[in-house]
Amino acid sequence: MELKRQHLIDPVVCIRCNTCEETCPVDAITHDGNNYVVMAEKCNFCRACVSPCPTGAIDNWLLVDNPWSIEDQFGWEELPLGETGPTESEPAPLPPEEVSDLLAAATATTGPRVPAPASATSPYVALYSREKPVIARVAGNMRLTADGAGSDIHHVVLDFQHNAFPFLEGQSIGIVPPGVDDKGRAHNIRLYSIASPREGERTGFNNLALTVKRVPGGVGSNYVCDLKKGDEVKVAGPFGQSFLMPDDPEAHIIMICTGTGAAPFRGFTERRRRNAADAPGKLMLFFGARSPEELPYFGPLMKLPKSLIDVNLAFSRLPGQPKCYVQDKIRERSADLAVLLPQAKTHIYICGLKGMEHGCDEAFADICRLNGMDWASLRATLRQEGRYHVETY
Ligand code: A2P
């Protein structure tokens, strides 16, 4: 019997973020209260959903004689065993010598469609899951925004003690909130970007920091923001194979963020500061917040040497001043960006509010137009080469 390839979502790794369903151009993805699933009769294997998936749960392809129905998939706790089907237009799997037994057992994915920067170190992915989490201990929880500021943003440090939790700058972790949801089921994991460099929040301490904003009524953010020193937290991950820092001191890194979108860039900046403070590659940060009081890490950011990082802050709600967004600051720096954009070692990362994506795109298009470059083709090249990464929500 001829086997057919079927696209499936791994319910263990999936964090039910709805990204795949939003992305699918042919509406082949749907969900119930339990699982996100792919309709075999609609999926045309275009892979549009693969790259945006924050965990890699989407990247599963099985050879089957009869495709699984969505009713079958709704009932799954895990993927059925089966022969893995071929995946198209993907980078080759990592060579075995580069992955530990643990990684090989934990992930069958072969890489996202927007590749990681060529120089990025190979990440470990999904070493721990909602069902098999690692227990981290809260080493500290600090409010970052000023008392009385509109946003309540916390810096939470998790200590993995004797458990291995290797991660890279730009990856995320999943937190499993305790208790059950209103239907009596265990909560889905909540994903947070790591704000530390790979050596840990403190080098050699096997720990990492998160930057979390309290969302009124939010199960995950309130749980994390209320954690106390010594509390034990169930952690899944690490996740993310694409939004990684180039491991190249010559790389110019343009970082654009709003609010807690700054978390991965804190990791990037610390990595450079600790390991290559006099690197020839430039770090350029565009950071948007309502005011200095609402900007996480404002104080430490202001203390960084200008030779390490070129900081551009955009405040939108300063009394008596017009609104300023990151895209306005990008335009202000046209002359310098026009020099950086065409360079082969320039990387762009955007993280934060979804709304800024379009504004940044237009700002880069304007800079290119004024300087004899075509942004659409430049952006396509950057994407193809793993030098343009967007993580917005
Ligand atoms: P605004 O004052 O207009 O909301 P938040 O504090 O809600 O996380 O937002 C972080 C910053 O991002 C704020 O300064 C906010 O401005 C700004 N912002 C909101 N929408 C956009 C957008 N479309 N493009 C760029 N920045 C934006």
Side-chain angles (χ1 to χ4, degrees), residues 98-104 106 121-128 134 158-174 194 196-201 205-208 235-241 244:
E98 283 185 35
V99 264
S100 73
D101 291 348
L102 197 51
L103 173 61
T121 311
S122 298
Y124 287 88
V125 178
L127 298 177
Y128 304 95
V134 62
L158 299 178
D159 184 349
F160 290 88
Q161 302 170 91
H162 56 277
N163 294 302
F165 198 87
F167 65 88
L168 294 176
E169 304 81 16
Q171 284 195 294
S172 308
I173 66 165
I194 297 169
S196 307
R198 68 190 72 182
E199 302 84 12
E201 184 60 10
F205 272 62
N206 197 24
N207 63 5
L208 58 78
V235 176
F239 297 117
Q241 303 176 80
L244 301 176

Short mmCIF file of all heavy atoms in Angstrom, two decimals, residues 98-104 106 121-128 134 158-174 194 196-201 205-208 235-241 244:
data_model
loop_
_atom_site.label_atom_id
_atom_site.label_comp_id
_atom_site.label_asym_id
_atom_site.label_seq_id
_atom_site.Cartn_x
_atom_site.Cartn_y
_atom_site.Cartn_z
N GLU A 98 26.98 16.66 16.94
CA GLU A 98 26.70 17.97 17.54
C GLU A 98 25.51 17.96 18.49
O GLU A 98 25.19 18.93 19.11
CB GLU A 98 26.48 19.02 16.45
CG GLU A 98 27.78 19.47 15.83
CD GLU A 98 27.56 20.59 14.83
OE1 GLU A 98 26.68 21.43 15.07
OE2 GLU A 98 28.27 20.60 13.84
N VAL A 99 24.79 16.87 18.49
CA VAL A 99 23.63 16.82 19.39
C VAL A 99 23.78 15.72 20.42
O VAL A 99 24.22 14.64 20.11
CB VAL A 99 22.32 16.56 18.61
CG1 VAL A 99 21.58 17.81 18.31
CG2 VAL A 99 22.54 15.76 17.36
N SER A 100 23.39 16.04 21.61
CA SER A 100 23.51 15.02 22.66
C SER A 100 22.38 14.02 22.51
O SER A 100 21.40 14.25 21.80
CB SER A 100 23.42 15.68 24.02
OG SER A 100 22.08 16.05 24.24
N ASP A 101 22.49 12.92 23.20
CA ASP A 101 21.43 11.90 23.17
C ASP A 101 20.11 12.52 23.62
O ASP A 101 19.05 12.23 23.11
CB ASP A 101 21.77 10.75 24.12
CG ASP A 101 22.95 9.98 23.60
OD1 ASP A 101 23.31 10.20 22.43
OD2 ASP A 101 23.51 9.18 24.37
N LEU A 102 20.22 13.42 24.60
CA LEU A 102 19.03 14.04 25.16
C LEU A 102 18.26 14.82 24.10
O LEU A 102 17.05 14.70 23.96
CB LEU A 102 19.47 14.98 26.29
CG LEU A 102 18.45 15.44 27.29
CD1 LEU A 102 17.68 14.28 27.85
CD2 LEU A 102 19.14 16.23 28.38
N LEU A 103 18.99 15.60 23.33
CA LEU A 103 18.34 16.41 22.29
C LEU A 103 17.73 15.52 21.23
O LEU A 103 16.60 15.71 20.80
CB LEU A 103 19.35 17.38 21.67
CG LEU A 103 18.82 18.16 20.46
CD1 LEU A 103 17.63 19.02 20.87
CD2 LEU A 103 19.90 19.02 19.87
N ALA A 104 18.47 14.51 20.82
CA ALA A 104 17.97 13.63 19.77
C ALA A 104 16.66 12.98 20.21
O ALA A 104 15.73 12.84 19.43
CB ALA A 104 19.01 12.57 19.47
N ALA A 106 14.57 14.23 22.35
CA ALA A 106 13.53 15.21 22.68
C ALA A 106 12.91 15.86 21.46
O ALA A 106 11.79 16.33 21.50
CB ALA A 106 14.11 16.30 23.57
N THR A 121 25.17 29.34 17.35
CA THR A 121 25.45 28.02 17.93
C THR A 121 24.18 27.16 17.81
O THR A 121 23.07 27.68 17.87
CB THR A 121 25.82 28.20 19.41
OG1 THR A 121 26.81 29.23 19.48
CG2 THR A 121 26.35 26.93 20.02
N SER A 122 24.34 25.84 17.67
CA SER A 122 23.17 24.96 17.58
C SER A 122 22.45 24.92 18.93
O SER A 122 23.07 24.65 19.95
CB SER A 122 23.61 23.54 17.23
OG SER A 122 24.21 23.54 15.97
N PRO A 123 21.13 25.18 18.91
CA PRO A 123 20.42 25.21 20.19
C PRO A 123 19.90 23.84 20.62
O PRO A 123 19.66 22.97 19.79
CB PRO A 123 19.22 26.13 19.88
CG PRO A 123 18.94 25.85 18.43
CD PRO A 123 20.26 25.53 17.78
N TYR A 124 19.73 23.67 21.88
CA TYR A 124 18.96 22.54 22.41
C TYR A 124 17.50 22.96 22.43
O TYR A 124 17.20 24.10 22.78
CB TYR A 124 19.40 22.19 23.83
CG TYR A 124 20.75 21.51 23.89
CD1 TYR A 124 21.92 22.25 23.96
CD2 TYR A 124 20.83 20.12 23.87
CE1 TYR A 124 23.16 21.63 24.01
CE2 TYR A 124 22.06 19.49 23.92
CZ TYR A 124 23.22 20.24 23.99
OH TYR A 124 24.42 19.61 24.03
N VAL A 125 16.60 22.06 22.07
CA VAL A 125 15.18 22.42 22.00
C VAL A 125 14.33 21.35 22.69
O VAL A 125 14.56 20.15 22.51
CB VAL A 125 14.72 22.55 20.52
CG1 VAL A 125 13.24 22.87 20.44
CG2 VAL A 125 15.52 23.62 19.81
N ALA A 126 13.36 21.81 23.49
CA ALA A 126 12.37 20.93 24.11
C ALA A 126 12.98 19.80 24.92
O ALA A 126 12.56 18.66 24.82
CB ALA A 126 11.41 20.39 23.05
N LEU A 127 13.96 20.11 25.72
CA LEU A 127 14.53 19.09 26.60
C LEU A 127 13.53 18.70 27.68
O LEU A 127 13.55 17.59 28.19
CB LEU A 127 15.81 19.62 27.27
CG LEU A 127 16.96 19.98 26.34
CD1 LEU A 127 18.12 20.56 27.12
CD2 LEU A 127 17.41 18.76 25.56
N TYR A 128 12.64 19.66 28.02
CA TYR A 128 11.62 19.41 29.04
C TYR A 128 10.27 19.84 28.47
O TYR A 128 10.19 20.78 27.68
CB TYR A 128 11.93 20.19 30.31
CG TYR A 128 13.31 19.90 30.87
CD1 TYR A 128 14.41 20.71 30.55
CD2 TYR A 128 13.53 18.80 31.69
CE1 TYR A 128 15.68 20.44 31.04
CE2 TYR A 128 14.81 18.52 32.19
CZ TYR A 128 15.88 19.34 31.86
OH TYR A 128 17.13 19.06 32.34
N VAL A 134 11.17 20.47 34.12
CA VAL A 134 12.27 20.53 35.10
C VAL A 134 11.81 21.50 36.19
O VAL A 134 11.07 22.45 35.91
CB VAL A 134 13.59 20.99 34.43
CG1 VAL A 134 13.48 22.39 33.86
CG2 VAL A 134 14.76 20.92 35.41
N LEU A 158 15.37 32.43 37.67
CA LEU A 158 15.12 31.02 37.98
C LEU A 158 16.44 30.27 38.03
O LEU A 158 17.28 30.41 37.13
CB LEU A 158 14.23 30.39 36.89
CG LEU A 158 12.85 31.00 36.72
CD1 LEU A 158 12.10 30.29 35.59
CD2 LEU A 158 12.04 30.92 38.01
N ASP A 159 16.58 29.45 39.06
CA ASP A 159 17.81 28.69 39.27
C ASP A 159 17.52 27.21 39.00
O ASP A 159 16.63 26.64 39.63
CB ASP A 159 18.24 28.91 40.73
CG ASP A 159 19.55 28.25 41.04
OD1 ASP A 159 20.02 27.45 40.19
OD2 ASP A 159 20.10 28.51 42.11
N PHE A 160 18.28 26.63 38.09
CA PHE A 160 18.04 25.23 37.73
C PHE A 160 18.86 24.26 38.57
O PHE A 160 18.82 23.05 38.34
CB PHE A 160 18.30 25.03 36.22
CG PHE A 160 17.25 25.72 35.40
CD1 PHE A 160 17.39 27.05 35.04
CD2 PHE A 160 16.09 25.06 35.05
CE1 PHE A 160 16.40 27.71 34.32
CE2 PHE A 160 15.10 25.71 34.33
CZ PHE A 160 15.24 27.03 33.97
N GLN A 161 19.60 24.76 39.50
CA GLN A 161 20.39 23.97 40.45
C GLN A 161 21.20 22.89 39.74
O GLN A 161 22.00 23.20 38.90
CB GLN A 161 19.45 23.42 41.52
CG GLN A 161 18.73 24.57 42.24
CD GLN A 161 17.63 24.09 43.13
OE1 GLN A 161 17.85 23.84 44.30
NE2 GLN A 161 16.44 23.95 42.57
N HIS A 162 20.96 21.60 40.06
CA HIS A 162 21.80 20.54 39.49
C HIS A 162 21.27 20.03 38.15
O HIS A 162 21.84 19.12 37.57
CB HIS A 162 21.91 19.37 40.48
CG HIS A 162 20.57 18.85 40.88
ND1 HIS A 162 19.83 19.43 41.87
CD2 HIS A 162 19.82 17.85 40.37
CE1 HIS A 162 18.67 18.78 41.98
NE2 HIS A 162 18.64 17.83 41.08
N ASN A 163 20.16 20.58 37.65
CA ASN A 163 19.59 20.10 36.38
C ASN A 163 20.16 20.87 35.19
O ASN A 163 20.22 22.10 35.23
CB ASN A 163 18.07 20.29 36.38
CG ASN A 163 17.40 19.42 37.42
OD1 ASN A 163 17.55 18.20 37.39
ND2 ASN A 163 16.70 20.05 38.34
N ALA A 164 20.51 20.13 34.14
CA ALA A 164 21.05 20.79 32.94
C ALA A 164 19.94 21.56 32.24
O ALA A 164 18.86 21.02 32.00
CB ALA A 164 21.63 19.74 32.00
N PHE A 165 20.19 22.81 31.94
CA PHE A 165 19.22 23.59 31.15
C PHE A 165 20.00 24.50 30.20
O PHE A 165 20.07 25.72 30.38
CB PHE A 165 18.29 24.40 32.07
CG PHE A 165 17.05 24.85 31.34
CD1 PHE A 165 15.93 24.03 31.27
CD2 PHE A 165 17.01 26.07 30.66
CE1 PHE A 165 14.79 24.41 30.57
CE2 PHE A 165 15.88 26.46 29.95
CZ PHE A 165 14.77 25.64 29.92
N PRO A 166 20.60 23.90 29.17
CA PRO A 166 21.40 24.70 28.23
C PRO A 166 20.50 25.54 27.33
O PRO A 166 19.51 25.04 26.82
CB PRO A 166 22.15 23.64 27.42
CG PRO A 166 21.29 22.42 27.50
CD PRO A 166 20.55 22.48 28.81
N PHE A 167 20.83 26.80 27.15
CA PHE A 167 20.00 27.66 26.29
C PHE A 167 20.90 28.67 25.60
O PHE A 167 22.06 28.87 25.98
CB PHE A 167 18.93 28.38 27.13
CG PHE A 167 19.49 29.35 28.13
CD1 PHE A 167 19.74 30.67 27.79
CD2 PHE A 167 19.78 28.93 29.42
CE1 PHE A 167 20.29 31.56 28.71
CE2 PHE A 167 20.32 29.82 30.35
CZ PHE A 167 20.57 31.13 30.00
N LEU A 168 20.32 29.32 24.59
CA LEU A 168 21.05 30.37 23.87
C LEU A 168 20.25 31.67 23.94
O LEU A 168 19.02 31.64 24.12
CB LEU A 168 21.22 29.99 22.39
CG LEU A 168 22.10 28.78 22.11
CD1 LEU A 168 22.10 28.49 20.61
CD2 LEU A 168 23.53 29.03 22.60
N GLU A 169 20.93 32.78 23.75
CA GLU A 169 20.27 34.08 23.72
C GLU A 169 19.19 34.04 22.63
O GLU A 169 19.46 33.59 21.51
CB GLU A 169 21.27 35.20 23.40
CG GLU A 169 22.45 35.28 24.35
CD GLU A 169 23.54 34.28 24.03
OE1 GLU A 169 23.54 33.71 22.93
OE2 GLU A 169 24.40 34.03 24.92
N GLY A 170 18.00 34.54 22.93
CA GLY A 170 16.91 34.57 21.95
C GLY A 170 15.94 33.41 22.12
O GLY A 170 14.85 33.44 21.56
N GLN A 171 16.32 32.37 22.87
CA GLN A 171 15.37 31.27 23.10
C GLN A 171 14.37 31.64 24.19
O GLN A 171 14.54 32.65 24.89
CB GLN A 171 16.14 30.00 23.50
CG GLN A 171 16.83 29.32 22.33
CD GLN A 171 17.27 27.91 22.68
OE1 GLN A 171 18.14 27.70 23.53
NE2 GLN A 171 16.67 26.92 22.04
N SER A 172 13.34 30.79 24.32
CA SER A 172 12.30 31.03 25.33
C SER A 172 12.19 29.81 26.23
O SER A 172 12.69 28.74 25.90
CB SER A 172 10.94 31.20 24.65
OG SER A 172 11.02 32.16 23.65
N ILE A 173 11.50 30.00 27.35
CA ILE A 173 11.14 28.84 28.17
C ILE A 173 9.62 28.84 28.36
O ILE A 173 8.96 29.87 28.22
CB ILE A 173 11.84 28.83 29.55
CG1 ILE A 173 11.37 29.99 30.43
CG2 ILE A 173 13.34 28.83 29.39
CD1 ILE A 173 11.74 29.82 31.89
N GLY A 174 9.08 27.67 28.69
CA GLY A 174 7.66 27.57 29.01
C GLY A 174 7.50 27.41 30.50
O GLY A 174 8.23 26.65 31.14
N ILE A 194 13.91 34.39 27.21
CA ILE A 194 15.01 34.43 28.18
C ILE A 194 15.73 35.77 28.05
O ILE A 194 16.00 36.23 26.93
CB ILE A 194 15.98 33.26 27.93
CG1 ILE A 194 15.26 31.92 28.13
CG2 ILE A 194 17.21 33.38 28.83
CD1 ILE A 194 16.04 30.71 27.64
N SER A 196 18.66 36.47 29.61
CA SER A 196 20.06 36.31 30.04
C SER A 196 20.90 35.77 28.89
O SER A 196 20.37 35.15 27.98
CB SER A 196 20.15 35.31 31.20
OG SER A 196 19.28 35.67 32.22
N PRO A 197 22.22 35.95 28.99
CA PRO A 197 23.09 35.29 28.02
C PRO A 197 23.27 33.82 28.40
O PRO A 197 22.90 33.41 29.50
CB PRO A 197 24.41 36.05 28.18
CG PRO A 197 24.41 36.52 29.59
CD PRO A 197 22.97 36.75 29.96
N ARG A 198 23.83 33.07 27.47
CA ARG A 198 23.89 31.60 27.65
C ARG A 198 24.65 31.16 28.91
O ARG A 198 24.42 30.07 29.42
CB ARG A 198 24.51 30.96 26.41
CG ARG A 198 25.98 31.27 26.22
CD ARG A 198 26.49 30.84 24.87
NE ARG A 198 25.97 31.71 23.81
CZ ARG A 198 26.23 31.54 22.52
NH1 ARG A 198 26.97 30.52 22.12
NH2 ARG A 198 25.76 32.38 21.62
N GLU A 199 25.56 31.98 29.38
CA GLU A 199 26.32 31.59 30.57
C GLU A 199 25.48 31.67 31.82
O GLU A 199 25.91 31.28 32.91
CB GLU A 199 27.54 32.50 30.77
CG GLU A 199 28.53 32.55 29.63
CD GLU A 199 28.12 33.55 28.56
OE1 GLU A 199 27.19 34.36 28.80
OE2 GLU A 199 28.71 33.51 27.47
N GLY A 200 24.29 32.22 31.70
CA GLY A 200 23.41 32.37 32.85
C GLY A 200 23.33 33.82 33.28
O GLY A 200 24.14 34.67 32.88
N GLU A 201 22.33 34.11 34.08
CA GLU A 201 22.18 35.47 34.60
C GLU A 201 23.46 35.86 35.32
O GLU A 201 23.94 36.97 35.20
CB GLU A 201 20.95 35.50 35.54
CG GLU A 201 20.59 36.83 36.09
CD GLU A 201 20.23 37.85 35.00
OE1 GLU A 201 20.09 37.50 33.82
OE2 GLU A 201 20.12 39.04 35.37
N PHE A 205 26.24 30.03 37.08
CA PHE A 205 25.28 29.74 38.15
C PHE A 205 24.07 28.93 37.69
O PHE A 205 23.15 28.72 38.45
CB PHE A 205 24.80 31.04 38.81
CG PHE A 205 25.69 31.46 39.94
CD1 PHE A 205 27.02 31.77 39.73
CD2 PHE A 205 25.20 31.53 41.23
CE1 PHE A 205 27.85 32.13 40.77
CE2 PHE A 205 26.01 31.90 42.30
CZ PHE A 205 27.34 32.21 42.06
N ASN A 206 24.05 28.48 36.45
CA ASN A 206 22.96 27.64 35.95
C ASN A 206 21.59 28.29 36.20
O ASN A 206 20.66 27.65 36.69
CB ASN A 206 23.02 26.25 36.61
CG ASN A 206 22.19 25.22 35.83
OD1 ASN A 206 21.95 25.39 34.65
ND2 ASN A 206 21.74 24.19 36.52
N ASN A 207 21.51 29.56 35.91
CA ASN A 207 20.23 30.25 36.11
C ASN A 207 19.93 31.15 34.92
O ASN A 207 20.76 31.31 34.03
CB ASN A 207 20.23 31.05 37.42
CG ASN A 207 21.27 32.16 37.40
OD1 ASN A 207 21.93 32.39 36.39
ND2 ASN A 207 21.43 32.83 38.53
N LEU A 208 18.74 31.70 34.89
CA LEU A 208 18.38 32.64 33.82
C LEU A 208 17.30 33.58 34.32
O LEU A 208 16.64 33.31 35.33
CB LEU A 208 17.90 31.89 32.57
CG LEU A 208 16.71 30.94 32.69
CD1 LEU A 208 15.37 31.66 32.72
CD2 LEU A 208 16.73 29.97 31.51
N VAL A 235 9.17 24.07 34.62
CA VAL A 235 9.65 24.74 33.40
C VAL A 235 9.77 23.74 32.26
O VAL A 235 10.27 22.62 32.44
CB VAL A 235 11.03 25.40 33.66
CG1 VAL A 235 11.59 26.02 32.39
CG2 VAL A 235 10.92 26.46 34.76
N ALA A 236 9.31 24.15 31.07
CA ALA A 236 9.50 23.36 29.84
C ALA A 236 10.45 24.13 28.92
O ALA A 236 10.65 25.32 29.08
CB ALA A 236 8.16 23.15 29.15
N GLY A 237 11.01 23.43 27.96
CA GLY A 237 11.88 24.12 27.01
C GLY A 237 13.29 23.56 27.02
O GLY A 237 13.49 22.45 27.47
N PRO A 238 14.28 24.31 26.60
CA PRO A 238 14.13 25.62 25.95
C PRO A 238 13.48 25.47 24.57
O PRO A 238 13.50 24.40 23.98
CB PRO A 238 15.57 26.11 25.83
CG PRO A 238 16.41 24.87 25.84
CD PRO A 238 15.67 23.85 26.64
N PHE A 239 12.92 26.57 24.07
CA PHE A 239 12.26 26.59 22.77
C PHE A 239 12.90 27.66 21.88
O PHE A 239 13.43 28.65 22.38
CB PHE A 239 10.77 26.90 22.91
CG PHE A 239 10.03 25.87 23.71
CD1 PHE A 239 9.41 26.20 24.91
CD2 PHE A 239 9.94 24.55 23.27
CE1 PHE A 239 8.72 25.25 25.64
CE2 PHE A 239 9.25 23.59 24.00
CZ PHE A 239 8.64 23.95 25.19
N GLY A 240 12.75 27.46 20.56
CA GLY A 240 13.21 28.46 19.60
C GLY A 240 14.47 28.04 18.89
O GLY A 240 15.47 27.67 19.53
N GLN A 241 14.41 28.04 17.56
CA GLN A 241 15.57 27.60 16.77
C GLN A 241 16.00 28.63 15.74
O GLN A 241 16.86 28.37 14.93
CB GLN A 241 15.21 26.32 16.01
CG GLN A 241 14.77 25.21 16.91
CD GLN A 241 14.34 23.99 16.11
OE1 GLN A 241 15.18 23.22 15.67
NE2 GLN A 241 13.06 23.84 15.89
N LEU A 244 17.98 33.53 17.00
CA LEU A 244 19.19 33.30 17.79
C LEU A 244 20.24 34.35 17.45
O LEU A 244 20.25 34.90 16.35
CB LEU A 244 19.76 31.91 17.49
CG LEU A 244 18.83 30.72 17.77
CD1 LEU A 244 19.50 29.42 17.34
CD2 LEU A 244 18.45 30.66 19.24
#
